[in-house]
Amino acid sequence: MNYLIAQIIGIIVAIISFSCVQFRDKRFILAGQFLTNVLFGVSWALLGGLSGAWICLLASVQLLILHFVNKSQPQVLFRRKLIVTALFATAYITGTCIVYKGWPDIVVCTCAMLFSLSIIQRNASRMRSVMLCNTTLWLIYDLSLSAYANMITHGLTLFSLITAKIRLDRTPGEPKEKPQDNQGEA
């Protein structure tokens, strides 16, 4: 029964994850990441992936704290973000050491570090770039736990991130393709 519930949660996460990275506004991406982290944490716990559950639930807390830190004055903001990120990096490493069972736990810890780097980026484009690496590593973790719905979710998220990078992250005025002159001489 836990397996079935985890797969259903994975499908719900796929919908949220696929759509949230398509926004230009970083706040929508962060809200989507909060929801997906909470749901993924529950999914991993149901599948017995303690390191995945630990990392995702802790990442949700990190997002909430950074939401309140973001209301600081600009000159104080970056320093506070770095302090919060360093504290959570320590918590991620400590938690991984506590629940460590094998190589997938190291992959999850690496995902957590990439997640921390992604959410402190100043713009959505940089955030999406780091999320590409993070999502690819989550696919490896999904495979190690046979979490098929989560694999589909991360696959769709990867596709959505690539689409968003192409659609939203080009520099203004840059053509999609360079026009070719196929008209021979007249």
Side-chain angles (χ1 to χ4, degrees):
M1 185 65 162
N2 284 350
Y3 182 79
L4 181 63
I5 294 170
Q7 301 307 321
I8 291 169
I9 290 171
I11 292 167
I12 294 167
V13 171
I15 296 165
I16 297 168
S17 185
F18 183 80
S19 59
C20 79
V21 297
Q22 292 298 321
F23 291 96
R24 287 190 191 275
D25 192 340
K26 192 175 122 174
R27 292 175 297 177
F28 289 111
I29 298 170
L30 291 173
Q33 283 192 322
F34 175 79
L35 285 172
T36 58
N37 275 317
V38 169
L39 292 172
F40 264 138
V42 172
S43 175
W44 293 128
L46 291 170
L47 292 170
L50 293 179
S51 58
W54 161 255
I55 293 297
C56 286
L57 294 175
L58 191 59
S60 298
V61 174
Q62 182 179 8
L63 277 167
L64 282 177
I65 290 172
L66 282 176
H67 171 72
F68 292 109
V69 167
N70 281 337
K71 294 181 180 184
S72 302
Q73 297 172 352
Q75 64 269 25
V76 179
L77 178 62
F78 188 70
R79 197 171 354 165
R80 287 186 181 171
K81 280 185 177 181
L82 287 179
I83 291 168
V84 169
T85 301
L87 289 172
F88 275 89
T90 304
Y92 289 136
I93 292 169
T94 303
T96 300
C97 290
I98 291 169
V99 300
Y100 181 80
K101 289 182 183 173
W103 67 267
D105 298 324
I106 295 170
V107 171
V108 172
C109 189
T110 306
C111 289
M113 296 303 168
L114 287 170
F115 171 77
S116 290
L117 287 175
S118 76
I119 63 175
I120 64 169
Q121 297 304 311
R122 292 187 178 167
N123 67 40
S125 174
R126 288 185 189 148
M127 177 183 262
R128 278 189 282 274
S129 295
V130 179
M131 287 172 69
L132 276 168
C133 299
N134 186 10
T135 303
T136 304
L137 288 175
W138 276 113
L139 276 167
I140 295 169
Y141 185 70
D142 297 337
L143 186 61
S144 74
L145 284 181
S146 300
Y148 300 112
N150 292 353
M151 259 188 268
I152 292 168
T153 298
H154 285 117
L156 286 172
T157 302
L158 195 61
F159 174 75
S160 185
L161 283 164
I162 292 168
T163 303
K165 292 287 295 166
I166 292 167
R167 190 173 70 82
L168 301 171
D169 296 345
R170 287 182 294 118
T171 55
E174 180 184 13
K176 292 180 183 177
E177 291 183 26
K178 292 186 178 181
Q180 294 180 348
D181 186 18
N182 293 333
Q183 299 209 2
E185 295 184 10

